[in-house]
Amino acid sequence: MTPKGANKNRNRILAIESSCDETAAAVMLNGSTILSNVVASQIEMHAKFGGVFPEMASREHILAIYSVVEQALEDAHLSLPEIDAIAVTRGPGLAGSLVVGANMAKALALASGKALIGVNHLEGHIYSAWINPDGSDDFIAPRFPCIALIVSGGHTSLTLMKDHLQYENLGDTLDDAAGEAFDKVARLLNLPYPGGPSIQKAAERGSATRFDFPRAWLDHSFDFSFSGLKTAVLREIKHMHSAGIIIPTEDVAASFQQAVVDVLAAKTFTAAEEYRASHIIVAGGVSANNALRKAMTVQKKYTVHIPPLKLCTDNAAMIGAAGHFRYIQGHSDALDFDVLPTWPLA
Ligand code: KG4
Ligand code: ZN
């Protein structure tokens, strides 16, 4: 059922995202056009601790949320009454961080009488592929069935989508998420947080074949495992240390990155083949990685959708895109919903 007064063809959704260390708000038109997209990042603060410090993250969200939402409305040249619905990340994520965005969204929904739509953060990453970032006429939206590879700091999974908002989980990581592996290996190499961009930068000057790090293929499974790879890197670094060898940071970074990319790309293509999907979505923070982007797009058999860099890492535009598809299907949540810090996508 479409909500009363909802315009299926032209709706403006105010979206809020605060699941981790980015306070973000955006206004989306029809789930595809960005009217505004504001991100206040806490990365610099957390970098001092080498990772996200949950209590500080929620405090920073509280400090930033009002001005971020205000800015998103201002950039879109809209006021709250002109918005059709409020979408917000309900989970998964850090409980104290999620609550800040959710409370803001609840207050705005209560004050405006508009629908409140809780969105799964991973669903948001997937729906970043439906955003036409610069309003191009050549933009192609994903077609079903499609395979979505979600690679972020907290998740690594392969999902089959046969239609909008329909998810069939094909595989998950059994241990570390891909982004977590990047962050941990960066720490072993004394590279700054967040580890993904640091490893990528170091890898640009390194040899991807110098070290033959293990790839966990986990035959006949779409699950992933990165902890053995991380341990192999640790063992190699310790071995070189004890032998008095200067650590070739660039080569270790490049060889590690290649091992991750090989497994992610191969499993995604196998899933697309098996489920006869001609479209593939790659989303989440690690989809910003240039080696992964290259590995996924070098072939011409599949249409691969990878969002532009600013939409790969956490943002609210993607929550507004997913919120749109929920809104036009009549979805709305109670104003007293709880956040879901461990909410699975399927
Ligand atoms: O999706 P995201 O912004 O937050 C979560 O939902 O977790 O992903 C953050 C993760 C971090 O682990 C970060 O190191 C990784 O994405 N990342 C990258 C790159 N940029 C961010 N990993 C590899 N290469 C990159 N260029
Ligand atoms: Zn994310």
Side-chain angles (χ1 to χ4, degrees):
M1 192 188 78
T2 305
K4 215 172 130 205
N7 183 342
K8 282 187 84 158
N9 299 320
R10 194 170 172 81
N11 61 67
R12 288 174 287 215
I13 299 204
L14 170 64
I16 297 174
E17 150 67 38
S18 69
S19 65
C20 189
D21 59 350
E22 258 101 26
T23 320
V27 180
M28 293 298 294
L29 174 66
N30 300 335
S32 169
T33 303
I34 299 175
L35 298 182
S36 64
N37 188 22
V38 181
V39 181
S41 175
Q42 306 173 4
I43 280 182
E44 260 179 52
M45 184 189 72
H46 296 295
K48 289 180 216 146
F49 305 96
V52 178
F53 200 118
E55 286 79 6
M56 290 179 81
S58 13
R59 198 192 62 192
E60 291 298 309
H61 284 309
I62 292 169
L63 295 175
I65 192 95
Y66 278 96
S67 51
V68 165
V69 169
E70 246 175 12
Q71 190 67 51
L73 286 169
E74 197 180 313
D75 290 356
H77 306 292
L78 291 169
S79 61
L80 192 55
E82 294 170 290
I83 295 293
D84 294 285
I86 321 281
V88 65
T89 306
R90 188 175 177 187
L94 299 169
S97 292
L98 289 165
V99 161
V100 179
N103 283 350
M104 183 72 181
K106 288 175 187 177
L108 292 168
L110 182 66
S112 63
K114 307 292 160 112
L116 175 67
I117 301 166
V119 170
N120 183 297
H121 180 79
L122 305 175
E123 177 173 71
H125 274 303
I126 289 178
Y127 272 91
S128 59
W130 269 268
I131 299 175
N132 182 356
D134 37 22
S136 158
D137 290 339
D138 301 331
F139 175 75
I140 303 170
R143 291 191 196 128
F144 303 113
C146 73
I147 295 291
L149 170 70
I150 305 171
V151 271
S152 72
H155 296 87
T156 298
S157 60
L158 267 175
T159 303
L160 169 66
M161 281 178 85
K162 290 188 182 149
D163 204 343
H164 279 298
L165 310 172
Q166 308 285 316
Y167 310 104
E168 188 182 325
N169 184 29
L170 305 179
D172 283 306
T173 180
L174 302 177
D175 37 60
D176 293 345
E180 193 180 356
F182 270 93
D183 294 336
K184 287 179 175 171
V185 168
R187 218 172 299 156
L188 296 177
L189 291 170
N190 291 319
L191 294 171
Y193 174 86
S198 305
I199 295 260
Q200 173 177 310
K201 197 162 165 234
E204 275 159 17
R205 296 180 304 273
S207 156
T209 51
R210 165 104 182 253
F211 299 97
D212 187 18
F213 290 132
R215 278 104 170 124
W217 292 113
L218 310 177
D219 290 342
H220 311 297
S221 160
F222 290 119
D223 284 335
F224 299 91
S225 167
F226 296 107
S227 71
L229 168 60
K230 177 194 66 194
T231 307
V233 174
L234 174 64
R235 222 180 283 132
E236 189 63 50
I237 291 174
K238 277 189 173 163
H239 163 74
M240 288 188 283
H241 260 309
S242 54
I245 299 167
I246 296 170
I247 309 297
T249 301
E250 284 93 356
D251 294 343
V252 175
S255 302
F256 159 78
Q257 178 176 270
Q258 194 59 50
V260 176
V261 166
D262 283 353
V263 176
L264 293 176
K267 289 205 176 227
T268 307
F269 291 134
T270 306
E273 180 86 39
E274 192 165 321
Y275 291 93
R276 298 174 190 280
S278 58
H279 283 236
I280 291 172
I281 297 169
V282 186
V286 182
S287 65
N289 184 270
N290 57 8
L292 178 61
R293 296 171 86 89
K294 199 166 155 205
M296 294 307 301
T297 48
V298 73
Q299 54 71 43
K300 295 288 162 251
K301 186 169 175 194
Y302 302 101
T303 305
V304 180
H305 306 261
I306 314 181
L309 294 185
K310 68 171 184 197
L311 296 177
C312 289
T313 46
D314 290 349
N315 65 87
M318 66 185 198
I319 303 301
H324 160 82
F325 287 95
R326 292 208 162 271
Y327 177 68
I328 60 174
Q329 290 196 6
H331 180 116
S332 103
D333 284 300
L335 288 181
D336 61 351
F337 77 62
D338 288 326
V339 296
L340 301 169
T342 57
W343 192 13
L345 180 62

